[in-house]
Structures are given as structure tokens and as C-alpha cells.
Amino acid sequence: MAGLVALDAGGRVPPFEQVRSQIAAQIGAGYLVDGERLPSVRGLADELGLAAGTVAKAYQLLEEAGLVHTARGAGTRVVRPAEVPDAVADAARALAAAARAAGLSADQAATTLKDAWPA
């Protein structure tokens, strides 16, 4: 899976975010498919000349977003994003609009949603 990520070493975007965003974009576009195994953290870090912790952070964020799943012995695999029902997408847009109107950031709106989620 050579060429999975192309880093901009002189860019303003931190390397972990470059890794995260490029892999997320490839999953979203369908270039990486459900069940496809990603390189190991150490393998991708070596390929990119990064610390393993940098790639691990990107993978953790991808897992938190529901785009990948990591299991011991099975590695990190792509998870096909679930189809979002129209009613949920509409509610999300309404939340975003209300949060923006109240002067909240996307992170603050996301935290509000997480706090409202039943345990």
C-alpha cells in the first residue's frame, strides 16, 4: 500500500492530521474499502519517516470517527461508514446552524451532542 499518504513536510498542517485526513478522504471516496487492512502503525511511520506515535494518533482519530477498527492480531481495517438517514442528517444540519448562530465552535457543538448521548 505504498503511497497511501503524501506528507507536506513544510506545510502548516501537523503530520498526524495529514495522515488522518488523507486516509479519511480515501475511505470517503471509496479508494479504501470495507475490510481493507491499513499498514501497521510502525510500518507506515517508517515509510513516512514519522514517529510511530504520530501515526498512532492519526489511527486513533480515525477509529474515534468510526472509519477504522483496530484489533490485536488483525491490525487496523477500514470500516465502511454507515448510511446516515435523512432525518439524522437534517438534525445534524439544524444543530450546526443553531450552534453557529450561538457562536459555538464545531468542537463545542460535538461535545454538546456527546453529552446528550445516552450511556
Side-chain angles (χ1 to χ4, degrees), residues 85-112:
D86 290 341
V88 174
D90 291 344
R93 283 189 286 277
L95 172 61
R100 220 174 297 125
L104 299 177
S105 69
D107 287 340
Q108 289 169 316
T111 298
T112 301

Side-chain angles (χ1 to χ4, degrees), residues 5 12 23 27 33 36 39 41 44 47 67 80 83 90-91 97 104 108 115-116:
V5 175
R12 299 174 85 119
I23 292 174
I27 292 170
V33 297
E36 188 167 352
V41 167
L44 186 57
E47 179 184 325
L67 297 175
R80 185 179 68 216
E83 291 294 321
D90 291 344
L104 299 177
Q108 289 169 316
D115 289 347

Side-chain angles (χ1 to χ4, degrees), residues 11-118:
R12 299 174 85 119
V13 178
F16 79 88
E17 177 56 23
Q18 291 182 52
V19 172
R20 186 212 61 78
S21 65
Q22 289 180 43
I23 292 174
Q26 290 181 45
I27 292 170
Y31 295 121
L32 295 173
V33 297
D34 190 41
E36 188 167 352
R37 188 172 183 169
L38 296 180
S40 70
V41 167
R42 187 169 288 132
L44 186 57
D46 288 347
E47 179 184 325
L48 297 174
L50 297 173
T54 300
V55 174
K57 182 174 183 177
Y59 277 20
Q60 177 186 1
L61 293 170
L62 289 165
E63 187 152 10
E64 289 172 4
L67 297 175
V68 301
H69 178 72
T70 303
R72 233 178 243 283
T76 301
R77 296 188 179 270
V78 172
V79 176
R80 185 179 68 216
E83 291 294 321
V84 176
D86 290 341
V88 174
D90 291 344
R93 283 189 286 277
L95 172 61
R100 220 174 297 125
L104 299 177
S105 69
D107 287 340
Q108 289 169 316
T111 298
T112 301
L113 177 60
K114 287 179 185 176
D115 289 347
W117 202 268

